Amino acid sequence: RLSAATHGLAFMTKAPNMASTDFSDDDGFGGVRPPRPAYSPRDLMRNALVFSASFAILEGCISATIIISHEVVEHHLASSVSAVLYLFFALGTLVAPALVRRAGVKRSLVASMLMYAVYTAAYMAPSPTVLYPAGALGGLAGALLWTAQGAYYTTSAVEYSKAKGRASVGG
């Protein structure tokens, strides 16, 4: 049996039953995808709720870091680092869809979470030479994370619709 980890959806908790045998989808690298697992509507809903809670906690941590940064470093530096963060977030949205498509949803989510961790850890050694690059990395992480979570929710919604026996989006 293939594990849920081999199939782009994050936080799958139950082993899938391999109902689909469609090998026609290109994986973007010239190969074919393994068959998609069939998840129950309940599993899909639970996964979406766990993902939502995890996403909210992560974004809460990032928001807290931005707010608390004014207490950790001087106000001007904290504001400048926040500006760099948001600038790179905005610029990152231009390349994030291609990165998510290339790396996949799960890898993009993990990579962006690790990049966010570097951003928050930078405040443990708060100097401009550490914080500015960390702010840029944090901005790129945000763009990648928000793009990947959109792809995750879209995929989950389509899979949920299929599991419930309803017509899927675009099909």
Side-chain angles (χ1 to χ4, degrees), residues 30-52:
V32 293
R33 293 181 184 166
R36 291 180 154 240
Y39 295 97
S40 73
R42 184 176 179 194
D43 290 341
L44 291 165
M45 182 61 73
R46 182 178 53 243
N47 293 336
L49 292 173
V50 168
F51 182 80
S52 296

Side-chain angles (χ1 to χ4, degrees), residues 19 34 59-60 94 100 109 114 118 132 141 153:
E59 283 302 310
L94 301 174
V100 171
L109 288 168
L114 292 173
V118 170
Y132 285 120
Y153 283 128

Side-chain angles (χ1 to χ4, degrees), residues 15-169:
N17 110 21
M18 303 303 288
S20 173
T21 56
D22 180 20
F23 284 96
S24 62
D25 290 335
D26 186 2
D27 69 356
F29 297 101
V32 293
R33 293 181 184 166
R36 291 180 154 240
Y39 295 97
S40 73
R42 184 176 179 194
D43 290 341
L44 291 165
M45 182 61 73
R46 182 178 53 243
N47 293 336
L49 292 173
V50 168
F51 182 80
S52 296
S54 301
F55 186 80
I57 291 167
L58 176 66
E59 283 302 310
C61 291
I62 296 305
S63 295
T65 300
I66 293 168
I67 293 166
I68 294 172
S69 68
H70 292 273
E71 300 300 322
V72 175
V73 298
E74 61 187 62
H75 181 73
H76 175 71
L77 179 58
S79 296
S80 297
V81 171
S82 291
V84 168
L85 176 101
Y86 289 117
L87 173 67
F88 276 82
F89 182 91
L91 294 174
T93 60
L94 301 174
V95 296
L99 292 173
V100 171
R101 198 171 20 257
R102 180 82 172 153
V105 171
K106 183 186 262 184
R107 286 186 183 124
S108 298
L109 288 168
V110 171
S112 62
M113 289 176 188
L114 292 173
M115 291 162 60
Y116 261 162
V118 170
Y119 166 70
T120 56
Y123 284 95
M124 293 170 45
S127 71
T129 56
V130 172
L131 290 175
Y132 285 120
L137 188 65
L140 293 174
L144 190 60
L145 182 73
W146 281 91
T147 303
Q149 67 87 24
Y152 173 83
Y153 283 128
T154 300
T155 301
S156 292
V158 169
E159 292 299 318
Y160 183 79
S161 178
K162 287 178 185 177
K164 291 290 264 184
R166 298 178 183 141
S168 64
V169 177

